[in-house]
Amino acid sequence: MSMFRKPDPKTQLRQQQRVLKKTGRELERDRHAMDRQEKQLEAEIKKAAKRGDKQTAGVYAKQLVKLRQQKAKSYGLSSTITATGHQMQTMQSQAKMAGAMGSTAKAMASVNAQIKVEDIARTMQTFERETGKMDLAGEMMDDTLDSLLGGSDEEAEEDAVISQVLDEIGIEVTNKLSGVPVARNALPSAESKVGAETDDLEARLRRLHN
């Protein structure tokens, strides 16, 4: 059964990268050999030229041209191998990201499967309806208590506030008048005026209260 097992992508990628690196090293060794051969051909061309042997120099020159062409192809192949290695690494990274996205999508699908939107909507509607019932019941209880108690506490508090305001007004007016020099004959008229103003203010407050 293990013979037909699908190879692991990581293991397969490492094997391919080893093959590419090995091929690159072999091409580099070949170029070093071509460099040495190139120098030898150049030396032979110089010797033939010094001897005046143009035919021999021409033969060496043709070999040198072909050698340099082969060397250029070797450099191009090495660049292709390097680019292929980078591309394989990029593909592996993309495969990892795709796997992570797939796992995330499965997790999200599992969570969404557990969440039922219809049930949540019904729960929210029930909660809103029951909350409204509680608010209505509370208002009805407040109205019932107010009708039973007759609002006596509120009226007592209002009367206390009115009395306090009247007392403060009377004290303030009295203090202001005490600091003003007046004639002895004019004092009763001033007091009667203050009393009239106080009575008028009390009458207004009673009307507002009623």
Side-chain angles (χ1 to χ4, degrees):
M1 295 295 293
S2 60
M3 295 177 60
F4 300 98
R5 183 180 300 175
K6 186 177 181 180
D8 183 20
K10 293 182 180 180
T11 304
Q12 188 175 5
L13 177 63
R14 285 194 296 267
Q15 292 176 353
Q16 292 174 351
Q17 287 178 342
R18 282 197 294 268
V19 171
L20 291 176
K21 289 180 180 179
K22 181 179 179 181
T23 304
R25 289 193 297 268
E26 291 177 353
L27 289 174
E28 189 174 0
R29 285 195 296 268
D30 291 341
R31 283 194 298 271
H32 288 316
M34 284 187 286
D35 289 337
R36 292 191 295 270
Q37 188 176 358
E38 182 179 4
K39 292 180 180 179
Q40 292 176 357
L41 289 174
E42 290 175 350
E44 294 295 334
I45 292 172
K46 290 179 180 179
K47 291 179 181 179
K50 288 180 179 179
R51 294 195 306 268
D53 189 354
K54 293 182 179 180
Q55 184 177 0
T56 303
V59 173
Y60 287 141
K62 290 180 181 180
Q63 293 179 1
L64 182 59
V65 169
K66 292 180 179 180
L67 180 63
R68 288 178 176 176
Q69 290 177 352
Q70 185 178 357
K71 188 177 178 181
K73 291 179 181 179
S74 177
Y75 276 113
L77 182 57
S78 295
S79 299
T80 302
I81 292 173
T82 303
T84 303
H86 292 322
Q87 187 176 2
M88 291 172 62
Q89 291 179 351
T90 302
M91 292 176 64
Q92 183 185 19
S93 300
Q94 291 176 350
K96 289 181 180 179
M97 289 189 291
M101 293 175 64
S103 300
T104 304
K106 290 180 180 179
M108 293 174 64
S110 177
V111 173
N112 290 331
Q114 297 176 4
I115 298 175
K116 296 182 179 179
V117 180
E118 296 80 4
D119 294 343
I120 294 175
R122 284 194 295 268
T123 302
M124 296 300 295
Q125 291 176 357
T126 303
F127 177 80
E128 185 177 0
R129 183 173 59 253
E130 296 301 326
T131 302
K133 290 180 180 180
M134 290 182 64
D135 293 339
L136 181 60
E139 293 177 359
M140 293 176 64
M141 291 177 65
D142 291 339
D143 294 339
T144 303
L145 291 174
D146 290 341
S147 62
L148 292 174
L149 297 176
S152 58
D153 293 338
E154 293 183 358
E155 292 179 358
E157 292 179 0
E158 292 175 1
D159 293 338
V161 172
I162 292 172
S163 300
Q164 182 180 358
V165 172
L166 291 176
D167 291 340
E168 292 177 355
I169 293 175
I171 294 172
E172 183 180 356
V173 173
T174 302
N175 291 335
K176 290 182 178 179
L177 292 176
S178 64
V180 178
V182 295
R184 182 176 297 176
N185 295 331
L187 183 58
S189 62
E191 291 177 352
S192 62
K193 184 178 180 180
V194 172
E197 292 178 354
T198 303
D199 294 338
D200 183 62
L201 181 59
E202 290 179 353
R204 292 181 180 180
L205 290 173
R206 282 197 297 273
R207 286 195 298 269
L208 290 175
H209 181 68
N210 295 331

